[in-house]
Structures are given as structure tokens and as C-alpha cells.
Amino acid sequence: MSYKYAKIISYTVLIIYALISLFPFFWAFLISITPLNGINPDTGERFGIDIMQWPPKINLFKIPPQVFGTNATFENYKKIFEVVPLYSRWILNTIFYAVALTFGHLILDTLGGYAFARLKFPLKNFWFSLFLATMMVPFQVVMIPQYNLMVKFGLVNTYTGLILPKLTGVFGLFLMRQFFLNFPRELEEAARIDGAGIIKTFFTIVLPNAKPAMTALAIYTFLGAWNDFMWPLIITSDKTMYTLTMGLNFFKTSYYTFWQYMMAASILMTIPMIIIFLSFQNQFVESGKAAAIKG
């Protein structure tokens, strides 16, 4: 097979894969711009649509566009703030939680990774192996002891209790250690010959060159924190402390789900992650390429 045909097949497969991957987001967007047009016969309350109707009556080329047999509207994006007044508070909680965890991981994982890669101290390999071993322990095993610890410290329903146990992680530590192991020692030795101590060498030579690995760590951490559900669910019971992942549940009732509101909230929740990924995608790709070359 010639290179030309192989390239065409590769692009075709990638395009099909991209379309399949994007379809759920497109479907969620269509639902989010559909007005509430289902009516509860008992209460008269508007609650949703039959999204399983087939074929769906969708025509995006009409003015206004038609979705599921009705005119598309962005009213749902405004309504979610009226239906759940605390939604704005949950957005701020999620931003604070994700940003705090990202800074925590960048500082602690970078320092820890450098220590395990460069410094000499007793039982270094043992302690690192012990850290790695904790990756095999599922969160479900440690969440109860972790919660009990927060109860004893009086940190339940507090931002400290929400953030403190998640400020560092073994994955970030491992990622940064592997980066620093491949970092050229000659640069550090040259700085020390010029009279720089270990702290000055780290902040003036090592840290500026660790930008690709730190960017990848920041993206992974931010996305993980933004989507985190289990720990906020365990540690918070006050509605003002909820994050967006928990808040989505408020668009459900005992009898039906307001899919339009839930999809509008989900789309709003996804936008920051897309912006962050697109903003830092060059550094993210560079980090992957560097790891591949060094690996």
C-alpha cells in the first residue's frame, strides 16, 4: 500500500473516531437548547421531552432551528440559575477547588519529585516504593478513614477539609520524578560551579525548564478536580459547599429529570475545561513528545 493511500485511510479513521467522540456532546447541546415541552398530565408541570423519539425532528438549517419538533432556544441556560439559585455558588466552589488543588499539586508534587530524583536521604527508594504502592489501593478503601480523620479535626463542611486531603498525589509525584530523572545534571553542576546553592539552582535552572511537565500536571489535576464527585460528596453536606458535579443532581426529581436543564448545566460545566485544554495544548503536546523521546 502506498504512503498516499495509507495516509488517506489514517485520516478517514481519525475523522470517523472524532465524529463518534463528539456526537455525545453535540446531542447534549441539542437537548440543552430544546424548550421544556413535555407536560405532566396530573400536575400540568412542564418537565421535558421524549429524546428517544426516532427519527428525531431536528433541522438546524431552518430559522429558527428546529430541535425535537420545537424552536431552539438558549433560555435553558438562563433558567438553570433561576431553578437552582445556588448554581452560581457551586461554580465558584468548583473553580476554587480545582485551582487550589492545581496549585497544591504543582508546588508539592514538583518539590517531592525533585527530592526523590536528586536528593540523597535514608531509605529514599523504600519511601518512593511505598508511595507507589498506595496507587494500588482504591479510593473506596481509604475514603472512610480519611473522612473520620476530617471529622476528628472538625473539617467537615469546610473548604480546608475539601482541599487538604487532595493537595498532593502519587501520580503527580511520579510524573515529576520521572521528568527530573531525565533532566541534564550538567546544567545543575554548572550552576553550582558558579556558586549557586541547591535552592537557587532549583528555582533558577530546574524550575523554568520543567514548564512542559508542570503544564501537563496542571491540566491533569485541574480536569480531575473539576470532575471530582466522590470526595466532595463525602465531605460536604451543606448545599452552599457543593460543587457542580453534585449540583447536577438537583435537576432531577423523584419522578422525572429535567434533561434540558441538566444538559445546559453540563455544557456550561464543560466549557472551562475545553478553554483550558485549548489554551495549553501546545505545552501539553510538547510534554508528551519530550516524555516519548526521553522514554
Side-chain angles (χ1 to χ4, degrees):
M1 184 183 296
S2 69
Y3 174 75
K4 179 182 175 183
Y5 288 113
K7 193 174 180 181
I8 291 173
I9 292 173
S10 300
Y11 274 96
T12 304
V13 171
L14 288 174
I15 289 170
I16 293 172
Y17 180 76
L19 291 175
I20 293 174
S21 300
L22 290 173
F23 180 75
F25 296 98
F26 177 67
W27 191 255
F29 174 72
L30 290 181
I31 295 173
S32 73
I33 59 174
T34 304
L36 297 179
N37 55 7
I39 299 176
N40 186 328
D42 298 325
T43 63
E45 184 182 12
R46 292 184 178 274
F47 65 95
I49 55 172
D50 181 12
I51 60 173
M52 299 303 292
Q53 60 175 287
W54 194 262
K57 297 174 183 176
I58 298 172
N59 188 348
L60 300 180
F61 298 100
K62 284 186 70 175
I63 301 177
Q66 298 287 305
V67 284
F68 300 103
T70 59
N71 294 337
T73 176
F74 286 96
E75 192 69 15
N76 296 330
Y77 286 88
K78 190 175 73 175
K79 281 283 185 183
I80 57 177
F81 292 93
E82 298 173 6
V83 174
V84 183
L86 284 173
Y87 195 76
S88 302
R89 175 66 180 260
W90 298 340
I91 292 176
L92 293 177
N93 287 345
T94 309
I95 292 173
F96 181 65
Y97 180 57
V99 171
L101 260 59
T102 302
F103 275 103
H105 276 255
L106 282 177
I107 295 170
L108 298 177
D109 292 354
T110 303
L111 290 173
Y114 185 74
F116 277 113
R118 286 291 195 261
L119 302 186
K120 294 179 181 177
F121 53 87
L123 301 175
K124 183 173 79 171
N125 291 331
F126 169 77
W127 292 119
F128 185 68
S129 301
L130 200 61
F131 271 118
L132 286 185
T134 61
M135 291 181 75
M136 292 182 283
V137 181
F139 177 67
Q140 287 78 4
V141 174
V142 299
M143 64 183 186
I144 295 177
Q146 211 168 62
Y147 175 76
N148 287 335
L149 203 61
M150 293 298 107
V151 171
K152 288 181 180 177
F153 288 154
L155 297 178
V156 176
N157 273 324
T158 65
Y159 289 107
T160 307
L162 184 66
I163 293 168
L164 189 62
K166 297 284 186 177
L167 268 183
T168 185
V170 182
F171 171 74
L173 197 68
F174 177 76
L175 180 73
M176 296 311 297
R177 175 184 177 271
Q178 294 308 106
F179 175 81
F180 290 128
L181 282 178
N182 293 304
F183 190 81
R185 286 182 179 273
E186 293 78 8
L187 290 176
E188 295 172 83
E189 290 169 357
R192 286 170 190 169
I193 290 173
D194 287 341
I198 187 169
I199 295 177
K200 187 176 180 181
T201 302
F202 177 76
F203 283 104
T204 58
I205 303 297
V206 178
L207 207 55
N209 288 289
K211 187 178 174 184
M214 293 177 71
T215 303
L217 175 62
I219 293 174
Y220 283 131
T221 306
F222 189 89
L223 297 185
W226 191 268
N227 290 318
D228 192 11
F229 174 74
M230 188 60 76
W231 181 243
L233 176 68
I234 294 170
I235 199 67
T236 60
S237 56
D238 187 341
K239 290 179 183 176
T240 59
M241 295 294 299
Y242 283 6
T243 57
L244 286 174
T245 49
M246 299 170 65
L248 290 179
N249 197 46
F250 277 74
F251 297 110
K252 293 172 62 178
T253 69
S254 302
Y255 303 102
Y256 40 75
T257 301
F258 293 94
W259 286 109
Q260 291 95 324
Y261 294 157
M262 184 174 282
M263 291 301 112
S266 300
I267 293 291
L268 285 182
M269 188 177 158
T270 308
I271 290 174
M273 291 191 290
I274 295 174
I275 292 173
I276 287 175
F277 180 77
L278 292 178
S279 302
F280 294 100
Q281 64 174 333
N282 289 336
Q283 289 90 337
F284 190 72
V285 172
E286 286 300 319
S287 172
K289 285 164 62 179
I293 292 170
K294 290 169 184 172

